[in-house]
Amino acid sequence: MASETTQVEPKPVETITVKVNGVSVEVPKTTPDWQGNPVPTTILQACQQASKEIPHYCYHPKLPVAGNCRMCLVEVGMPAMGRDRKPVLNEDGTPVIQKGVLPYDPSLPRGAIACATPVAPNMEIYTDSDNTKMMREAVLESLLINHPLDCPICDQAGECKLQEYSVEHGQATSRFVETKVSKPKQVDLGPRIMLDDERCILCTRCIRFSRDVAGDDALGIVNRGSYNTIAAYPGERFDNNYTLNTVDLCPVGALTSKDFRFQMRVWFMKETKSLCTSCATGCNITVGSRENKVYRYEPRDNDAVNASWMCDHGRLNYKWAQREDRLKDCLIRDEKGTQKVTWATLSKALIERLNQAEKGSVAIIASARATVEELFLIKQLADHFQAITDCVARQGEADRLLVQADKNPNSQGATALGLCFSEMGIQIPSIEQGIASGKIKTLLCLGEDATKAGLDVSLLKQLECLVASDILPNPTVEVAHFVLPSCSHLEKRGSFINGKGRIQKFMQAVQPSGDARADWEWLRELVVGLTGKPIADTLPGVFNQCSQQYEALSGITWQDIGDLGVETKI
Amino acid sequence: MIIKRTPLNWLERLYIPSLINGFKVTLSHFFGKKVTMQYPEEKWTVPEGYRGAPYLVQDSKDRTKCVSCQLCEFVCPPKAIRITPPGPEVNLERGNIEKEPAEFEINMLRCIFCGYCQEVCPEEAIFLQEDYSLTGQSREEMIYDKKKLLELGGVRDSKVKKWDKKAADAAAQSAH
Ligand code: SF4
Ligand code: SF4
Ligand code: SF4
Ligand code: SF4
Ligand code: FES
């Protein structure tokens, strides 16, 4: 849908001028709230625009404001008003500013919580005055009164806001000599979540997320005063498809993921920008890995796709890439048996073999899990052989938040590059008949298991040449004449077009296992060897070559995709 | 600067006075108090606080004090330490001291006895002890695992019994 949008003059934004630490900043009068509705700009947002960070726990831009942790208290001053409702002026003509005083005098403006207090014209905000510091120290002291200081055994250590703010804004020593309140530890809240109540600072982010974003009002606070405790509804498990987002939201180590619990310290982990491949949404993620082992996925903010969330299913769907039984060897199988060979031998033999294939006698089953670059190269092969092509559809259930019914991460890419029709799998019966009638003699099964698509092993055995590439063993690979071990998305770079037509890219997190090699590399070798076409020898080069040839991608270069992706003309 | 070399006189050229002087020193040691030691059969007793090889210690209740916080692994300059945390299973036997390492290895070929691990440890679980000369027949043998480190380390209680105090507080509070 390449609609020509007519340029509408943007409405002038109404602004308010405030002073942050004596520097004037002009901020818009309203800012979108967590649902995108305009609400008055708060002190915290004004300070963010002035590049002054205000410590906060309960505030989160994607959640309703609660204002309960008091961490964001700042000293503010307002122009004093005379009886005539006009600002009182100093002798030099500047307005008199009334600051809050501590101890608190009810007749004067005092410290305000930055997350929930709208800015007013000529307000003065002091983010590092002595009074602000005093308030921060007091808030942290009260938060730490009953905190267990479990840092050595706490998974959050290293990315804990309580640690960070205690270092930056807290006091060096504790004055608390009484006994700390002890609360339940190792609480089994749900199938994927473990709660440590002692560490909780009662910011209610988890409650608000579950209730307002996930739509499952599962959590609440029970008991009173310092015995306040987060709990699930009695007898209920905290179990929806978004529970693990509360682990990210929790500023301390109260909510921990059972999957990641006590696996690795966060400071050892390398972070790689990547994408979730479990459905067509393409949630942006950060992969945490250390020494070639992947430990966790975390959502990465992208307002155009997944906001700050991802589903639990996608988040935990990474272990298959590290399975022991992964395909690691290049194999050639003939009457004499199965031979393990090097890539050089395999490519040479495969090119020789495919050179003998007649035009029209080839079929290709590609995968809608392959990247745009790979599909582009497969398309070159398909055109060369005038092959009949298709992909394999994966359908599941959608939900109202993120999950889409299409479980392939790149269906749009496969369709746009012409490897399948929008009804995926419609060509499979023709391929089946073709093989049965002997018209199709060569089948390239790239990243898919032909038996899953409905082709029988006995049928596959009728083929003169079966080429299969995959990551994990499957029945097709077992009978293929050429086996090419390929890489998961964690081990290569590439791009996907998500269900809404946004192209996004992912980076390499770990090294491939065994002889497995990024698919685009060997596909390129095949294309160059068979067709003689000039193909760029870098991945960005291949993408750029692809985008020049397809209307849907025209004008988009690899660099343009950036970290957050861009809309295509699909 | 040019140093002028004075030629040796005839007495000096005989070398005999120098030889005699040398023998005097040797003989005085020969009949004096012995200062050498039959190493490695005999060994020095090292002073207290000596920084030898780092070993893990247990508390008097036979609990491994280490909680795999991995700070020592992080701080170790030659990267001699490798810790495998225990994973998500709740170990009820350990009570509130969660997270005993599943494996803890120190590569003694890499360790430089710097003592950073002991200094950084929040649980007083690792100490540099008296051993300064470690030998082995292979590289693998020089990677000490958790079992070996604990055997060599022995028992060392801390003054502050943090976990016991916490357990006692919790028990007292749940009583009413
Ligand atoms: S929540 Fe933060 S401060 Fe508390 S124990 Fe965990 S890491 Fe330490
Ligand atoms: S469990 Fe975490 S997110 Fe929930 S209220 Fe406590 S500190 Fe906040
Ligand atoms: S003594 Fe130094 S080098 Fe040896 S293990 Fe400890 S930190 Fe590493
Ligand atoms: S610093 Fe101490 S508690 Fe932490 S892993 Fe090392 S030995 Fe264990
Ligand atoms: S961030 Fe918690 S009160 Fe403002």
Short mmCIF file of all heavy atoms in Angstrom, two decimals, chain A residues 148-150 152-155 179-182 185-186 194 196 199 227 258-259 261-265 267-268 290-291, chain B residues 67-71 73-74 82-83 85-88 90 92 95-99 122-123 162-163 166 169-170 173:
data_model
loop_
_atom_site.label_atom_id
_atom_site.label_comp_id
_atom_site.label_asym_id
_atom_site.label_seq_id
_atom_site.Cartn_x
_atom_site.Cartn_y
_atom_site.Cartn_z
N PRO A 148 16.56 -7.34 52.55
CA PRO A 148 17.48 -8.35 53.09
C PRO A 148 18.94 -8.19 52.67
O PRO A 148 19.80 -8.86 53.23
CB PRO A 148 16.91 -9.64 52.51
CG PRO A 148 16.26 -9.24 51.24
CD PRO A 148 15.70 -7.88 51.49
N LEU A 149 19.24 -7.34 51.72
CA LEU A 149 20.60 -7.24 51.17
C LEU A 149 21.13 -8.62 50.77
O LEU A 149 22.16 -9.10 51.25
CB LEU A 149 21.56 -6.55 52.16
CG LEU A 149 21.13 -5.14 52.52
CD1 LEU A 149 22.14 -4.50 53.44
CD2 LEU A 149 20.93 -4.28 51.29
N ASP A 150 20.38 -9.24 49.92
CA ASP A 150 20.67 -10.57 49.40
C ASP A 150 21.58 -10.53 48.19
O ASP A 150 21.73 -11.55 47.52
CB ASP A 150 19.35 -11.21 48.93
CG ASP A 150 18.67 -11.99 50.03
OD1 ASP A 150 19.32 -12.24 51.05
OD2 ASP A 150 17.50 -12.35 49.86
N PRO A 152 24.46 -11.08 47.02
CA PRO A 152 25.25 -12.21 46.53
C PRO A 152 24.41 -13.37 45.99
O PRO A 152 24.89 -14.13 45.15
CB PRO A 152 26.05 -12.66 47.76
CG PRO A 152 26.02 -11.53 48.69
CD PRO A 152 24.77 -10.77 48.43
N ILE A 153 23.18 -13.53 46.49
CA ILE A 153 22.38 -14.66 46.00
C ILE A 153 21.19 -14.17 45.19
O ILE A 153 20.23 -14.89 44.98
CB ILE A 153 21.87 -15.54 47.16
CG1 ILE A 153 21.09 -14.72 48.18
CG2 ILE A 153 23.02 -16.27 47.82
CD1 ILE A 153 20.29 -15.56 49.14
N CYS A 154 21.25 -12.92 44.73
CA CYS A 154 20.10 -12.35 44.03
C CYS A 154 20.43 -12.19 42.55
O CYS A 154 21.44 -11.59 42.19
CB CYS A 154 19.77 -11.00 44.65
SG CYS A 154 18.45 -10.14 43.83
N ASP A 155 19.55 -12.73 41.71
CA ASP A 155 19.79 -12.69 40.27
C ASP A 155 19.78 -11.27 39.70
O ASP A 155 20.29 -11.03 38.62
CB ASP A 155 18.72 -13.50 39.53
CG ASP A 155 19.13 -14.95 39.38
OD1 ASP A 155 20.34 -15.20 39.34
OD2 ASP A 155 18.25 -15.80 39.31
N THR A 179 15.26 -5.55 64.41
CA THR A 179 15.20 -6.76 63.60
C THR A 179 14.38 -6.50 62.34
O THR A 179 13.32 -5.89 62.40
CB THR A 179 14.52 -7.89 64.40
OG1 THR A 179 15.16 -7.99 65.66
CG2 THR A 179 14.61 -9.21 63.66
N LYS A 180 14.90 -6.96 61.21
CA LYS A 180 14.18 -6.78 59.95
C LYS A 180 12.96 -7.69 59.91
O LYS A 180 13.00 -8.80 60.45
CB LYS A 180 15.09 -7.12 58.78
CG LYS A 180 16.21 -6.12 58.62
CD LYS A 180 16.98 -6.36 57.35
CE LYS A 180 18.13 -5.35 57.28
NZ LYS A 180 18.20 -4.64 56.03
N VAL A 181 11.91 -7.21 59.25
CA VAL A 181 10.73 -8.05 59.07
C VAL A 181 11.11 -9.17 58.11
O VAL A 181 11.65 -8.91 57.04
CB VAL A 181 9.57 -7.24 58.48
CG1 VAL A 181 8.40 -8.14 58.11
CG2 VAL A 181 9.12 -6.17 59.46
N SER A 182 10.84 -10.41 58.47
CA SER A 182 11.13 -11.46 57.51
C SER A 182 9.84 -11.86 56.81
O SER A 182 8.77 -11.87 57.40
CB SER A 182 11.80 -12.65 58.20
OG SER A 182 10.83 -13.44 58.82
N LYS A 185 10.23 -16.30 51.31
CA LYS A 185 11.21 -16.34 50.23
C LYS A 185 10.92 -17.57 49.38
O LYS A 185 10.22 -18.47 49.81
CB LYS A 185 12.63 -16.43 50.81
CG LYS A 185 13.07 -15.14 51.51
CD LYS A 185 14.43 -15.28 52.13
CE LYS A 185 15.53 -14.73 51.25
NZ LYS A 185 15.57 -13.26 51.18
N GLN A 186 11.48 -17.61 48.19
CA GLN A 186 11.27 -18.74 47.29
C GLN A 186 9.79 -19.07 47.13
O GLN A 186 9.38 -20.21 47.26
CB GLN A 186 12.00 -19.99 47.79
CG GLN A 186 13.47 -19.77 48.00
CD GLN A 186 14.12 -20.88 48.79
OE1 GLN A 186 13.47 -21.66 49.46
NE2 GLN A 186 15.42 -20.94 48.70
N MET A 194 9.31 -16.99 40.15
CA MET A 194 9.63 -17.21 41.56
C MET A 194 9.66 -15.84 42.23
O MET A 194 10.22 -14.89 41.68
CB MET A 194 11.01 -17.87 41.62
CG MET A 194 11.43 -18.31 42.97
SD MET A 194 10.73 -19.89 43.37
CE MET A 194 12.08 -20.97 43.02
N ASP A 196 10.47 -13.46 45.71
CA ASP A 196 11.11 -13.32 47.00
C ASP A 196 10.52 -12.07 47.63
O ASP A 196 10.84 -10.95 47.25
CB ASP A 196 12.63 -13.18 46.82
CG ASP A 196 13.35 -13.19 48.15
OD1 ASP A 196 12.91 -12.43 49.03
OD2 ASP A 196 14.33 -13.93 48.30
N ARG A 199 12.59 -9.01 49.13
CA ARG A 199 13.29 -8.06 48.25
C ARG A 199 12.35 -7.04 47.63
O ARG A 199 12.79 -6.04 47.07
CB ARG A 199 14.00 -8.81 47.13
CG ARG A 199 15.10 -9.70 47.62
CD ARG A 199 15.74 -10.43 46.45
NE ARG A 199 16.52 -11.56 46.93
CZ ARG A 199 16.75 -12.66 46.23
NH1 ARG A 199 16.25 -12.77 45.01
NH2 ARG A 199 17.46 -13.65 46.72
N TYR A 227 4.35 -5.27 56.69
CA TYR A 227 4.11 -6.68 56.36
C TYR A 227 3.49 -6.82 54.96
O TYR A 227 3.14 -7.91 54.54
CB TYR A 227 3.21 -7.34 57.41
CG TYR A 227 3.88 -7.40 58.76
CD1 TYR A 227 3.66 -6.43 59.72
CD2 TYR A 227 4.80 -8.41 59.03
CE1 TYR A 227 4.31 -6.46 60.94
CE2 TYR A 227 5.46 -8.46 60.24
CZ TYR A 227 5.22 -7.48 61.19
OH TYR A 227 5.88 -7.52 62.39
N LYS A 258 12.19 -18.41 36.56
CA LYS A 258 12.70 -19.73 36.94
C LYS A 258 13.68 -20.25 35.90
O LYS A 258 14.61 -20.96 36.22
CB LYS A 258 11.54 -20.72 37.07
CG LYS A 258 10.76 -20.55 38.34
CD LYS A 258 9.77 -21.69 38.50
CE LYS A 258 8.82 -21.40 39.63
NZ LYS A 258 7.68 -22.32 39.62
N ASP A 259 13.44 -19.88 34.66
CA ASP A 259 14.32 -20.36 33.61
C ASP A 259 15.73 -19.80 33.75
O ASP A 259 16.71 -20.49 33.53
CB ASP A 259 13.74 -19.96 32.25
CG ASP A 259 14.64 -20.41 31.11
OD1 ASP A 259 14.76 -21.63 30.94
OD2 ASP A 259 15.21 -19.55 30.43
N ARG A 261 16.89 -18.34 36.60
CA ARG A 261 17.30 -18.29 38.00
C ARG A 261 18.61 -19.04 38.23
O ARG A 261 18.75 -20.21 37.90
CB ARG A 261 16.18 -18.91 38.82
CG ARG A 261 16.33 -18.80 40.30
CD ARG A 261 15.06 -19.36 40.93
NE ARG A 261 15.31 -19.88 42.26
CZ ARG A 261 15.27 -19.14 43.37
NH1 ARG A 261 15.01 -17.86 43.29
NH2 ARG A 261 15.49 -19.68 44.54
N PHE A 262 19.54 -18.39 38.82
CA PHE A 262 20.84 -18.97 39.21
C PHE A 262 21.55 -19.65 38.04
O PHE A 262 22.12 -20.73 38.19
CB PHE A 262 20.67 -19.96 40.36
CG PHE A 262 20.06 -19.37 41.61
CD1 PHE A 262 19.55 -20.19 42.60
CD2 PHE A 262 20.02 -18.01 41.79
CE1 PHE A 262 19.00 -19.65 43.75
CE2 PHE A 262 19.48 -17.45 42.94
CZ PHE A 262 18.96 -18.29 43.92
N GLN A 263 21.47 -19.06 36.88
CA GLN A 263 22.17 -19.63 35.73
C GLN A 263 23.47 -18.89 35.43
O GLN A 263 24.48 -19.50 35.18
CB GLN A 263 21.30 -19.59 34.47
CG GLN A 263 19.99 -20.33 34.58
CD GLN A 263 20.16 -21.83 34.46
OE1 GLN A 263 21.27 -22.33 34.47
NE2 GLN A 263 19.06 -22.54 34.35
N MET A 264 23.40 -17.56 35.44
CA MET A 264 24.59 -16.79 35.09
C MET A 264 24.41 -15.37 35.62
O MET A 264 23.31 -14.86 35.69
CB MET A 264 24.78 -16.79 33.58
CG MET A 264 26.09 -16.21 33.09
SD MET A 264 27.56 -16.67 34.01
CE MET A 264 27.69 -18.42 33.75
N ARG A 265 25.52 -14.77 35.99
CA ARG A 265 25.48 -13.39 36.43
C ARG A 265 25.30 -12.47 35.24
O ARG A 265 25.92 -12.69 34.18
CB ARG A 265 26.80 -13.04 37.13
CG ARG A 265 26.86 -13.55 38.54
CD ARG A 265 25.64 -13.15 39.25
NE ARG A 265 25.84 -13.03 40.69
CZ ARG A 265 24.86 -12.68 41.49
NH1 ARG A 265 23.67 -12.41 41.02
NH2 ARG A 265 25.05 -12.59 42.79
N TRP A 267 26.35 -9.58 34.59
CA TRP A 267 27.46 -8.76 34.09
C TRP A 267 28.41 -9.54 33.19
O TRP A 267 29.29 -8.96 32.57
CB TRP A 267 28.22 -8.12 35.24
CG TRP A 267 28.70 -9.06 36.29
CD1 TRP A 267 29.75 -9.91 36.19
CD2 TRP A 267 28.15 -9.26 37.60
NE1 TRP A 267 29.88 -10.63 37.34
CE2 TRP A 267 28.93 -10.25 38.24
CE3 TRP A 267 27.09 -8.69 38.30
CZ2 TRP A 267 28.66 -10.69 39.53
CZ3 TRP A 267 26.84 -9.12 39.58
CH2 TRP A 267 27.62 -10.10 40.18
N PHE A 268 28.26 -10.85 33.14
CA PHE A 268 29.11 -11.61 32.23
C PHE A 268 28.51 -11.67 30.83
O PHE A 268 29.15 -12.14 29.90
CB PHE A 268 29.28 -13.04 32.72
CG PHE A 268 30.18 -13.17 33.91
CD1 PHE A 268 29.72 -13.68 35.11
CD2 PHE A 268 31.50 -12.79 33.83
CE1 PHE A 268 30.54 -13.81 36.21
CE2 PHE A 268 32.34 -12.92 34.92
CZ PHE A 268 31.86 -13.42 36.11
N ARG A 290 26.90 -15.91 26.92
CA ARG A 290 28.27 -15.88 27.41
C ARG A 290 28.98 -17.09 26.85
O ARG A 290 28.48 -18.20 26.96
CB ARG A 290 28.30 -15.92 28.94
CG ARG A 290 29.71 -15.79 29.47
CD ARG A 290 29.78 -16.07 30.96
NE ARG A 290 31.15 -15.82 31.41
CZ ARG A 290 31.65 -16.29 32.54
NH1 ARG A 290 30.91 -17.00 33.34
NH2 ARG A 290 32.89 -16.05 32.87
N GLU A 291 30.14 -16.87 26.29
CA GLU A 291 30.97 -17.94 25.75
C GLU A 291 30.14 -18.91 24.92
O GLU A 291 30.13 -20.11 25.16
CB GLU A 291 31.66 -18.66 26.90
CG GLU A 291 32.74 -17.80 27.51
CD GLU A 291 33.34 -18.40 28.75
OE1 GLU A 291 32.89 -19.48 29.15
OE2 GLU A 291 34.24 -17.77 29.33
N VAL B 67 28.33 -18.85 47.73
CA VAL B 67 26.97 -18.81 47.20
C VAL B 67 26.98 -18.51 45.70
O VAL B 67 26.01 -18.00 45.16
CB VAL B 67 26.11 -17.77 47.94
CG1 VAL B 67 25.92 -18.15 49.39
CG2 VAL B 67 26.70 -16.39 47.82
N SER B 68 28.05 -18.83 45.03
CA SER B 68 28.25 -18.54 43.59
C SER B 68 27.79 -17.15 43.18
O SER B 68 27.05 -16.99 42.23
CB SER B 68 27.64 -19.58 42.66
OG SER B 68 26.61 -20.29 43.21
N CYS B 69 28.24 -16.15 43.90
CA CYS B 69 27.91 -14.79 43.49
C CYS B 69 28.77 -14.39 42.29
O CYS B 69 28.48 -13.43 41.60
CB CYS B 69 28.12 -13.82 44.63
SG CYS B 69 29.84 -13.48 44.96
N GLN B 70 29.83 -15.12 42.06
CA GLN B 70 30.70 -14.94 40.89
C GLN B 70 31.46 -13.62 40.87
O GLN B 70 31.92 -13.17 39.82
CB GLN B 70 29.91 -15.14 39.59
CG GLN B 70 29.41 -16.57 39.45
CD GLN B 70 28.68 -16.82 38.15
OE1 GLN B 70 27.58 -16.34 37.97
NE2 GLN B 70 29.27 -17.54 37.24
N LEU B 71 31.56 -13.00 42.05
CA LEU B 71 32.35 -11.77 42.08
C LEU B 71 33.83 -12.08 41.94
O LEU B 71 34.58 -11.35 41.30
CB LEU B 71 32.11 -11.03 43.40
CG LEU B 71 30.77 -10.31 43.51
CD1 LEU B 71 30.63 -9.69 44.88
CD2 LEU B 71 30.67 -9.24 42.44
N GLU B 73 35.07 -14.58 40.32
CA GLU B 73 35.30 -14.92 38.91
C GLU B 73 35.46 -13.64 38.09
O GLU B 73 36.27 -13.56 37.17
CB GLU B 73 34.11 -15.74 38.40
CG GLU B 73 34.23 -16.15 36.95
CD GLU B 73 33.11 -17.07 36.49
OE1 GLU B 73 32.23 -17.39 37.30
OE2 GLU B 73 33.13 -17.46 35.32
N PHE B 74 34.69 -12.63 38.48
CA PHE B 74 34.74 -11.37 37.76
C PHE B 74 36.03 -10.61 38.04
O PHE B 74 36.64 -10.04 37.14
CB PHE B 74 33.53 -10.52 38.16
CG PHE B 74 33.44 -9.21 37.44
CD1 PHE B 74 33.12 -9.17 36.10
CD2 PHE B 74 33.68 -8.01 38.11
CE1 PHE B 74 33.05 -7.97 35.43
CE2 PHE B 74 33.60 -6.81 37.44
CZ PHE B 74 33.29 -6.79 36.10
N ARG B 82 36.45 -20.34 37.56
CA ARG B 82 35.28 -20.63 36.72
C ARG B 82 34.22 -21.26 37.60
O ARG B 82 34.46 -22.29 38.21
CB ARG B 82 35.69 -21.58 35.60
CG ARG B 82 34.54 -22.10 34.81
CD ARG B 82 35.01 -22.50 33.46
NE ARG B 82 35.57 -21.32 32.80
CZ ARG B 82 35.03 -20.76 31.75
NH1 ARG B 82 33.94 -21.24 31.24
NH2 ARG B 82 35.58 -19.69 31.21
N ILE B 83 33.05 -20.63 37.64
CA ILE B 83 31.99 -21.10 38.53
C ILE B 83 30.78 -21.50 37.72
O ILE B 83 30.40 -20.82 36.78
CB ILE B 83 31.60 -19.99 39.53
CG1 ILE B 83 32.79 -19.65 40.42
CG2 ILE B 83 30.42 -20.40 40.39
CD1 ILE B 83 32.65 -18.36 41.15
N PRO B 85 26.95 -21.86 38.38
CA PRO B 85 25.90 -21.69 39.37
C PRO B 85 24.93 -22.88 39.35
O PRO B 85 24.92 -23.65 38.40
CB PRO B 85 25.20 -20.40 38.93
CG PRO B 85 26.10 -19.76 37.95
CD PRO B 85 26.87 -20.86 37.33
N PRO B 86 24.12 -23.01 40.41
CA PRO B 86 23.36 -24.25 40.55
C PRO B 86 22.11 -24.38 39.68
O PRO B 86 21.56 -25.47 39.61
CB PRO B 86 22.94 -24.20 42.03
CG PRO B 86 22.89 -22.76 42.35
CD PRO B 86 23.95 -22.12 41.55
N GLY B 87 21.65 -23.29 39.07
CA GLY B 87 20.40 -23.43 38.32
C GLY B 87 19.20 -23.31 39.24
O GLY B 87 19.34 -23.12 40.44
N PRO B 88 17.99 -23.43 38.66
CA PRO B 88 16.79 -23.00 39.37
C PRO B 88 16.29 -23.92 40.49
O PRO B 88 15.46 -23.51 41.28
CB PRO B 88 15.73 -22.92 38.26
CG PRO B 88 16.23 -23.81 37.19
CD PRO B 88 17.72 -23.81 37.27
N VAL B 90 15.31 -25.52 43.79
CA VAL B 90 15.41 -25.02 45.16
C VAL B 90 16.04 -26.10 46.02
O VAL B 90 15.57 -27.23 46.06
CB VAL B 90 14.01 -24.66 45.69
CG1 VAL B 90 14.10 -24.21 47.14
CG2 VAL B 90 13.38 -23.57 44.84
N LEU B 92 16.43 -27.25 49.42
CA LEU B 92 15.84 -26.99 50.74
C LEU B 92 16.83 -27.26 51.87
O LEU B 92 16.75 -26.64 52.92
CB LEU B 92 14.58 -27.84 50.93
CG LEU B 92 13.38 -27.37 50.08
CD1 LEU B 92 12.23 -28.33 50.20
CD2 LEU B 92 12.95 -25.95 50.49
N GLY B 95 18.56 -24.30 53.18
CA GLY B 95 17.77 -23.27 53.84
C GLY B 95 17.91 -21.93 53.15
O GLY B 95 17.81 -21.85 51.94
N ASN B 96 18.18 -20.90 53.93
CA ASN B 96 18.19 -19.57 53.33
C ASN B 96 19.50 -19.25 52.60
O ASN B 96 19.61 -18.24 51.95
CB ASN B 96 17.87 -18.50 54.39
CG ASN B 96 18.83 -18.54 55.55
OD1 ASN B 96 19.70 -19.40 55.61
ND2 ASN B 96 18.67 -17.61 56.47
N ILE B 97 20.52 -20.10 52.75
CA ILE B 97 21.75 -19.85 51.98
C ILE B 97 21.57 -20.52 50.63
O ILE B 97 22.06 -21.63 50.41
CB ILE B 97 23.01 -20.42 52.64
CG1 ILE B 97 22.94 -20.28 54.15
CG2 ILE B 97 24.24 -19.74 52.07
CD1 ILE B 97 24.15 -20.83 54.83
N GLU B 98 20.85 -19.90 49.76
CA GLU B 98 20.62 -20.51 48.46
C GLU B 98 21.90 -20.49 47.64
O GLU B 98 22.86 -19.84 48.00
CB GLU B 98 19.56 -19.69 47.71
CG GLU B 98 18.21 -19.69 48.36
CD GLU B 98 17.25 -18.81 47.60
OE1 GLU B 98 17.47 -17.59 47.54
OE2 GLU B 98 16.29 -19.34 47.07
N LYS B 99 21.87 -21.20 46.55
CA LYS B 99 22.84 -20.96 45.50
C LYS B 99 24.25 -21.48 45.77
O LYS B 99 25.24 -20.79 45.49
CB LYS B 99 22.90 -19.45 45.22
CG LYS B 99 22.92 -19.13 43.74
CD LYS B 99 22.88 -17.66 43.54
CE LYS B 99 23.49 -17.30 42.22
NZ LYS B 99 24.14 -16.05 42.18
N PRO B 122 31.93 -11.65 49.43
CA PRO B 122 31.03 -11.11 50.44
C PRO B 122 30.66 -12.15 51.50
O PRO B 122 30.03 -11.82 52.49
CB PRO B 122 29.79 -10.71 49.63
CG PRO B 122 29.80 -11.63 48.46
CD PRO B 122 31.22 -11.96 48.16
N GLU B 123 31.02 -13.38 51.29
CA GLU B 123 30.61 -14.45 52.20
C GLU B 123 31.78 -15.02 52.99
O GLU B 123 31.62 -16.01 53.69
CB GLU B 123 29.95 -15.58 51.39
CG GLU B 123 28.70 -15.14 50.62
CD GLU B 123 27.55 -14.77 51.54
OE1 GLU B 123 27.47 -15.33 52.63
OE2 GLU B 123 26.76 -13.89 51.15
N LYS B 162 25.73 -14.43 59.48
CA LYS B 162 24.63 -13.72 58.82
C LYS B 162 23.44 -14.63 58.56
O LYS B 162 22.31 -14.30 58.91
CB LYS B 162 25.20 -13.15 57.52
CG LYS B 162 24.20 -12.63 56.54
CD LYS B 162 24.90 -11.88 55.42
CE LYS B 162 24.88 -12.64 54.13
NZ LYS B 162 25.44 -11.90 53.01
N TRP B 163 23.70 -15.79 57.96
CA TRP B 163 22.57 -16.65 57.54
C TRP B 163 21.87 -17.25 58.74
O TRP B 163 20.65 -17.38 58.76
CB TRP B 163 23.06 -17.74 56.59
CG TRP B 163 23.66 -17.18 55.35
CD1 TRP B 163 24.97 -17.21 55.00
CD2 TRP B 163 22.98 -16.46 54.31
NE1 TRP B 163 25.15 -16.57 53.79
CE2 TRP B 163 23.95 -16.10 53.36
CE3 TRP B 163 21.67 -16.09 54.10
CZ2 TRP B 163 23.65 -15.40 52.21
CZ3 TRP B 163 21.34 -15.39 52.96
CH2 TRP B 163 22.33 -15.04 52.03
N LYS B 166 19.68 -14.63 60.24
CA LYS B 166 18.46 -14.43 59.45
C LYS B 166 17.46 -15.54 59.71
O LYS B 166 16.27 -15.30 59.86
CB LYS B 166 18.81 -14.44 57.96
CG LYS B 166 19.32 -13.13 57.47
CD LYS B 166 19.38 -13.16 55.96
CE LYS B 166 19.90 -11.84 55.44
NZ LYS B 166 19.56 -11.63 54.06
N ASP B 169 15.90 -15.03 63.06
CA ASP B 169 14.91 -13.93 63.01
C ASP B 169 13.62 -14.40 62.39
O ASP B 169 12.52 -14.13 62.88
CB ASP B 169 15.46 -12.78 62.16
CG ASP B 169 16.49 -11.96 62.92
OD1 ASP B 169 16.65 -12.23 64.13
OD2 ASP B 169 17.12 -11.08 62.31
N ALA B 170 13.74 -15.13 61.27
CA ALA B 170 12.55 -15.59 60.57
C ALA B 170 11.77 -16.54 61.44
O ALA B 170 10.54 -16.46 61.53
CB ALA B 170 12.95 -16.26 59.26
N GLN B 173 9.93 -14.69 64.13
CA GLN B 173 8.77 -13.93 63.66
C GLN B 173 7.62 -14.83 63.28
O GLN B 173 6.46 -14.45 63.40
CB GLN B 173 9.16 -13.05 62.48
CG GLN B 173 9.97 -11.86 62.95
CD GLN B 173 10.37 -10.96 61.80
OE1 GLN B 173 9.64 -10.82 60.84
NE2 GLN B 173 11.54 -10.38 61.90
#
